[in-house]
Amino acid sequence: MCDGWEITTIEGISDIVPKRLAKYNGSQCGFCSPGQVMNMHALLEQNEGNVSMKQVEDAYDDVICRCTGYRPILDAMKSFAQDSPDLKKTTTVDIEELGKTYCHKTGKRCHGECHPRKGQQLQIVGSDAVWYRPDTFDELFKILADNSGKKTRMVFGNTGQGIYNQELDMAGFDVLVDIRGIQGLYSVNFDPTVVLGAGLSITQLIDIFTRTQSTPSFGYLANIKEMLMRVAGRSVRSMASWAGNLMLKHLHPEFQSDVYVSLEAANVKLIIANSAGSNTIPISQFLKTDMTNKVIVAMEVPAMTDDYIVRLYKVAQRAENSHSFVNAGVRMKVDTNNKFLVMEKPCIVFSGISKDFIHAVQTETYLAGKSLVDPSVIQGALTTLASEVNPDPNIDAVEPSVAYRKNVAIGYLYSYILDVVGDTAKGIYRSGSTPLIRPLSSGQQSYDTKPLEWPLTEPMIKLEAIDQTTGRADYINDIPIEQGTLYAAFVISTVGNAKLQSMDPSKALSMPGVLKFITAKDIPGQNNCFSSIASEIPSVPEE
């Protein structure tokens, strides 16, 4: 399955980032430190060392630490940023060294490839399923044809299983087809039309949109990019393809897909292929298209004149790493020099209302040809939207109330109108369109020290820091399991506030491999976790 991959672990990189993290006291228990280091190494390598402090913060939206409070970690990583006030920035030599990998056995740089890909289809036959990895579309469609009638699933990043675990569990399929090896899914073309392959990850899509948004007729991509930045976390965005997200929406129309809403607002077209050939459809037709034995190949991203105004909206429990309660995309062609006239039927698309409600068709029809600075038009649009937005109370177990989602949807349209008309609106209303933007985080640590008395009170790197940040520190999971190792598990009472009258472990002891049932009576000495503390805390309950 890893054929052709190049996998770099912390043992294979230079010590530039580990030393920086250690110097800033960014490790405490050190368990997460290798992950923090590899995340920063990848960010610097991807951007050739040229990163901003915001990019660093954005890259750390899902690398978890429970000890340090993140401040020293972010301080260390931000010190590599080009806009960092810290003078200890990465030097040119550092950046050159970042891209080098090292052999942990010899300490020398690695050269060549450990396992060059042979460029051939793989097939792995398991006890319950067959795993294929085709290299071409022809191979893919032949696999699908040969396994007609079997329960088949095409797999890319497999991030959707985190949402619909039981339905997408790989154990439930007869045939699994890994399509990551099909090079035709990774096309990136800009001449004459922008065509982006279905195999591009959401992170790659963000990067392309970031570089393209300054191009004439593609400025609207800045808003699409910001919405995509709020999809899941960086690790999911880097693994998941945008097309896979659309297929999840196709399978579950109730899924609150930020990607689908964004691409609908962008009015993209999808190139879909099967064994008979390919055809191009507007994304608005996608959810009604039969995708049996078909695959999304790419999307066409249209150019738009400046009078098209595209905005995306999302409300969720958190800014990132959270599904939308309700999200929306709005695209209108507006004549800003003629009373903000809506020149054609707009696009107003939602997720999180119900599985069947995508476009606010009545509101779209109502707004065509009307002025957005006419109070009666605004009121009419909001009233029309309120009449057609009827949230499903059972769309999702964690969704907020019907009334809340309805008001949020109406608020999106009102915010859009205020945003478009800008200073034409009275000052008391303008804040309704102003997004809440979190500034860069910052923090300071101060402590008493007298440089004249150093080394007394001199700040020092803790002794184990380098071992932790370079991944050399050993933890329990790193210790090889010895033959005959025993495992223990707590037996939990089914009643919280009660005294146990008796315990009968006979059934458990009769099970193969169970050797002993331990109670407080088996503990020698005092049954106390902290014998030096006056208030005794028993190791195990006595009653």
Side-chain angles (χ1 to χ4, degrees):
M1 294 182 188
C2 298
D3 179 50
W5 289 13
E6 182 178 303
I7 301 173
T8 302
T9 65
I10 194 167
E11 291 81 6
I13 68 171
S14 68
D15 60 2
I16 296 167
V17 179
K19 284 183 176 178
R20 189 71 60 90
L21 183 60
K23 187 171 185 177
Y24 277 74
N25 295 307
S27 72
Q28 191 163 326
C29 78
F31 198 80
C32 75
S33 296
Q36 310 286 358
V37 167
M38 293 304 294
N39 191 54
M40 190 63 200
H41 175 87
L43 181 68
L44 289 169
E45 189 173 48
Q46 179 185 359
N47 293 277
E48 298 180 347
N50 186 14
V51 297
S52 66
M53 290 194 291
K54 185 178 186 307
Q55 283 179 295
V56 173
E57 281 207 359
D58 289 341
Y60 274 82
D61 60 359
D62 61 355
V63 186
I64 306 301
C65 171
R66 58 174 292 178
C67 298
T68 68
Y70 287 104
R71 183 196 58 77
I73 297 174
L74 284 178
D75 285 349
M77 303 316 181
K78 285 179 181 177
S79 71
F80 288 96
Q82 299 301 306
D83 57 346
S84 171
D86 196 321
L87 297 179
K88 302 179 180 65
K89 294 182 179 178
T90 311
T91 66
T92 304
V93 176
D94 288 338
I95 296 304
E96 291 176 352
E97 291 298 309
L98 276 173
K100 308 298 182 182
T101 56
Y102 293 82
C103 175
H104 71 281
K105 295 180 180 179
T106 65
K108 297 180 180 179
R109 292 176 182 170
C110 296
H111 298 281
E113 295 180 344
C114 298
H115 186 189
R117 184 174 176 183
K118 298 177 181 178
Q120 62 186 23
Q121 176 179 309
L122 292 181
Q123 178 179 344
I124 301 173
V125 180
S127 58
D128 300 317
V130 180
W131 177 286
Y132 294 94
R133 195 205 63 191
D135 274 1
T136 66
F137 287 114
D138 288 340
E139 291 176 354
L140 168 63
F141 296 133
K142 185 177 186 305
I143 291 169
L144 296 177
D146 291 345
N147 291 279
S148 178
K150 296 181 181 179
K151 195 172 182 182
T152 303
R153 181 184 168 205
M154 284 183 273
V155 181
F156 193 86
N158 196 39
T159 56
Q161 188 174 341
I163 305 171
Y164 301 104
N165 180 42
Q166 293 183 345
E167 184 176 353
L168 297 180
D169 188 349
M170 292 188 182
F173 293 86
D174 303 316
V175 178
L176 297 164
V177 186
D178 178 4
I179 60 175
R180 296 180 73 92
I182 301 176
Q183 294 305 303
L185 292 173
Y186 301 95
S187 60
V188 178
N189 296 314
F190 287 88
D191 188 20
T193 305
V194 177
V195 179
L196 304 177
L200 297 174
S201 69
I202 298 173
T203 295
Q204 289 171 319
L205 209 60
I206 291 169
D207 181 59
I208 292 170
F209 286 175
T210 300
R211 290 184 281 111
T212 309
Q213 67 188 36
S214 58
T215 305
S217 301
F218 289 97
Y220 72 93
L221 291 179
N223 293 285
I224 305 294
K225 175 203 71 176
E226 290 301 322
M227 183 66 154
L228 296 180
M229 287 286 292
R230 299 185 64 188
V231 175
R234 181 178 174 85
S235 59
V236 172
R237 293 194 298 266
S238 298
M239 180 62 70
S241 69
W242 62 265
N245 189 283
L246 293 191
M247 287 303 299
L248 199 62
K249 176 72 172 177
H250 190 278
L251 181 65
H252 284 275
E254 75 279 5
F255 172 49
Q256 310 96 314
S257 170
D258 300 323
V259 176
Y260 180 83
V261 166
S262 299
L263 298 184
E264 263 266 38
N267 198 27
V268 306
K269 294 181 179 179
L270 301 179
I271 302 172
I272 297 174
N274 61 9
S275 58
S278 64
N279 68 310
T280 303
I281 64 169
I283 190 173
S284 57
Q285 297 178 9
F286 171 66
L287 296 182
K288 302 295 184 182
T289 300
D290 181 5
M291 291 298 292
T292 304
N293 290 343
K294 296 178 182 178
V295 63
I296 301 173
V297 174
M299 68 172 162
E300 294 181 0
V301 182
M304 293 189 195
T305 53
D306 291 341
D307 48 9
Y308 281 97
I309 302 175
V310 179
R311 296 291 184 269
L312 284 303
Y313 302 93
K314 174 175 180 173
V315 168
Q317 289 178 315
R318 296 173 296 278
E320 297 170 354
N321 270 323
S322 184
H323 288 170
S324 300
F325 289 148
V326 179
N327 55 19
V330 184
R331 181 187 72 251
M332 295 189 193
K333 187 176 184 180
V334 180
D335 186 349
T336 56
N337 297 316
N338 183 20
K339 298 181 179 179
F340 294 89
L341 191 71
V342 181
M343 293 186 282
E344 62 185 31
K345 185 178 179 179
C347 167
I348 305 173
V349 59
F350 292 95
S351 270
I353 302 299
S354 72
K355 67 177 184 178
D356 299 317
F357 185 81
I358 305 297
H359 278 268
V361 178
Q362 297 175 27
T363 308
E364 292 172 343
T365 302
Y366 173 84
L367 281 170
K370 291 186 171 63
S371 168
L372 294 181
V373 292
D374 185 340
S376 64
V377 169
I378 298 174
Q379 185 60 54
L382 299 180
T383 301
T384 303
L385 183 60
S387 68
E388 63 177 328
V389 171
N390 296 297
D392 179 358
N394 301 313
I395 188 174
D396 192 316
V398 299
E399 283 286 283
S401 69
V402 166
Y404 175 85
R405 285 184 284 144
K406 185 166 188 168
N407 286 332
V408 167
I410 296 170
Y412 286 157
L413 180 58
Y414 185 54
S415 294
Y416 177 87
I417 294 173
L418 290 176
D419 188 9
V420 170
V421 302
D423 293 340
T424 306
K426 293 182 179 180
I428 60 173
Y429 301 120
R430 290 175 198 161
S431 64
S433 66
T434 304
L436 299 176
I437 300 175
R438 183 181 69 82
L440 284 172
S441 64
S442 62
Q444 291 182 336
Q445 182 182 27
S446 60
Y447 41 82
D448 293 332
T449 181
K450 297 179 180 180
L452 292 177
E453 297 180 358
W454 286 0
L456 290 174
T457 74
E458 180 181 5
M460 297 176 60
I461 298 175
K462 67 177 184 178
L463 297 178
E464 63 270 33
I466 292 296
D467 281 343
Q468 291 174 341
T469 60
T470 56
R472 293 196 294 262
D474 285 333
Y475 295 86
I476 292 176
N477 287 347
D478 298 315
I479 301 173
I481 298 175
E482 298 289 339
Q483 186 175 2
T485 298
L486 299 180
Y487 298 85
F490 287 104
V491 180
I492 302 174
S493 172
T494 57
V495 181
N497 186 17
K499 290 185 177 181
L500 294 175
Q501 295 180 342
S502 63
M503 292 181 288
D504 182 7
S506 58
K507 186 178 292 187
L509 290 171
S510 66
M511 297 175 65
V514 177
L515 301 181
K516 190 174 181 62
F517 176 65
I518 300 173
T519 67
K521 297 177 182 179
D522 298 300
I523 297 177
Q526 188 178 11
N527 180 21
N528 185 3
C529 289
F530 306 99
S531 58
S532 61
I533 300 177
S535 58
E536 296 183 354
I537 303 176
S539 302
V540 293
E542 298 178 350
E543 56 179 21

